[in-house]
Amino acid sequence: MNFRSLVSADVWRDLIDRGRRRTYPSNAVLLAQGESPDCVIALVDGLVKVVQSNECGDELTLMLRGPGEVLGEMGALLGRPRSATVTAARRCTGVVLPAHAFRGYVERHRLERVIYQLTVERLNSHERLRADLVHLPSIGRVARVVSHLADEVGQPQGATSLLVELGMPRTELATMAAMRRSSALVALGQLQSADILTLGRRRLIITDVARLRAVARGEEDLGVRSGEDAAPAM
């Protein structure tokens, strides 16, 4: 689910037509945590990474977002500083719209309910993910994170597979799964050995979606031990 999927083609086109198109190279910062919410960005092409920093400076990758997303919308509507940093995971194209213009756009098309629905669904999805990670073994944690990313940015690859562009090193999946990097890499190797996914440099191809989701639910055990390899709770 993203913003584009919840509005009509005409409403989406109106947003695109009102903004200024801009291209962002890989690793460019589109929005920075703590900055003033003076604009929103409608992502029309590419992939971005959403990262949040705590008071100690530790960074947590929260999610990936693809085309059809509107970035920075809650800050623009509520007038609050950005809650996370959005970085281009690869070359991106976005349409930048001033915050006041976006508020007018939302009011004109009566999109308050749409944005509320999207925000609540995202919060619930994130909470479900964090809750699931507490009781899953290592391989289940990694499978759950990969499954979550597949729901967010997965693209059909052939008849039965899904391509997940990561736009980041695979080790960052460990942070998302709240576990050590070495353990996450072992779990990814186990999933590949089980013919559930194929590993690329900055991408994954899920070749058996049903089994991945079974592992993510703790319904299939591939023999990876849990407990001692978990990272401290975050």
Side-chain angles (χ1 to χ4, degrees):
M1 178 188 295
N2 60 22
F3 183 84
R4 174 67 185 84
S5 69
L6 295 177
V7 301
S8 69
D10 288 342
V11 170
W12 175 254
R13 190 177 306 112
D14 185 36
L15 175 62
I16 300 304
D17 289 345
R18 291 177 181 276
R20 174 174 56 88
R21 188 173 292 260
R22 180 176 174 184
T23 299
Y24 301 88
S26 180
N27 297 319
V29 174
L30 283 69
L31 305 171
Q33 182 174 337
E35 74 177 5
S36 175
D38 58 349
C39 70
V40 301
I41 302 174
L43 191 64
V44 296
D45 184 54
L47 184 73
V48 299
K49 179 174 66 172
V50 182
V51 176
Q52 195 169 64
S53 300
N54 62 22
E55 295 179 354
C56 298
D58 300 321
E59 292 187 345
L60 172 64
T61 299
L62 298 177
M63 64 195 79
L64 298 174
R65 293 285 182 245
E69 297 289 355
V70 174
L71 309 170
E73 77 285 2
M74 292 309 299
L77 292 175
L78 300 176
R80 295 178 180 174
R82 310 281 190 205
S83 60
T85 294
V86 179
T87 305
R90 57 182 171 84
R91 182 182 173 90
C92 296
T93 301
V95 174
V96 183
L97 192 69
H100 68 85
F102 180 70
R103 290 191 291 268
Y105 164 82
V106 169
E107 183 176 355
R108 183 165 51 257
H109 292 288
R110 300 180 179 179
L111 297 176
E112 292 87 354
R113 179 177 289 274
V114 167
I115 293 175
Y116 175 77
Q117 176 186 352
L118 187 59
T119 301
V120 170
E121 175 56 34
R122 293 245 168 96
L123 287 173
N124 288 341
S125 177
H126 184 70
E127 288 302 315
R128 288 194 299 269
L129 174 63
R130 305 318 298 176
D132 289 347
L133 294 179
V134 171
H135 62 80
L136 285 170
S138 299
I139 198 166
R141 290 186 180 194
V142 172
R144 182 66 177 85
V145 168
V146 172
S147 179
H148 175 74
L149 294 177
D151 290 338
E152 295 290 342
V153 297
Q155 305 169 45
Q157 184 85 353
T160 60
S161 300
L162 281 178
L163 168 66
V164 179
E165 292 278 5
L166 296 176
M168 60 183 180
R170 295 196 301 265
T171 51
E172 290 198 33
L173 295 174
T175 305
M176 297 183 71
M179 58 192 294
R180 294 187 178 93
R181 292 183 177 185
S182 58
S183 300
L185 292 176
V186 168
L188 285 169
Q190 289 281 334
L191 290 168
Q192 179 166 253
S193 296
D195 296 324
I196 292 174
L197 55 76
T198 301
L199 302 174
R201 184 169 177 269
R202 287 177 176 256
R203 60 168 51 187
L204 306 171
I205 298 177
I206 303 170
T207 52
D208 195 327
V209 178
R211 287 187 68 202
L212 176 74
R213 299 198 189 283
V215 175
R217 292 192 298 267
E219 296 172 358
E220 181 170 350
D221 181 10
L222 299 183
V224 175
R225 296 176 64 192
S226 62
E228 73 275 10
D229 55 1
M234 300 181 65

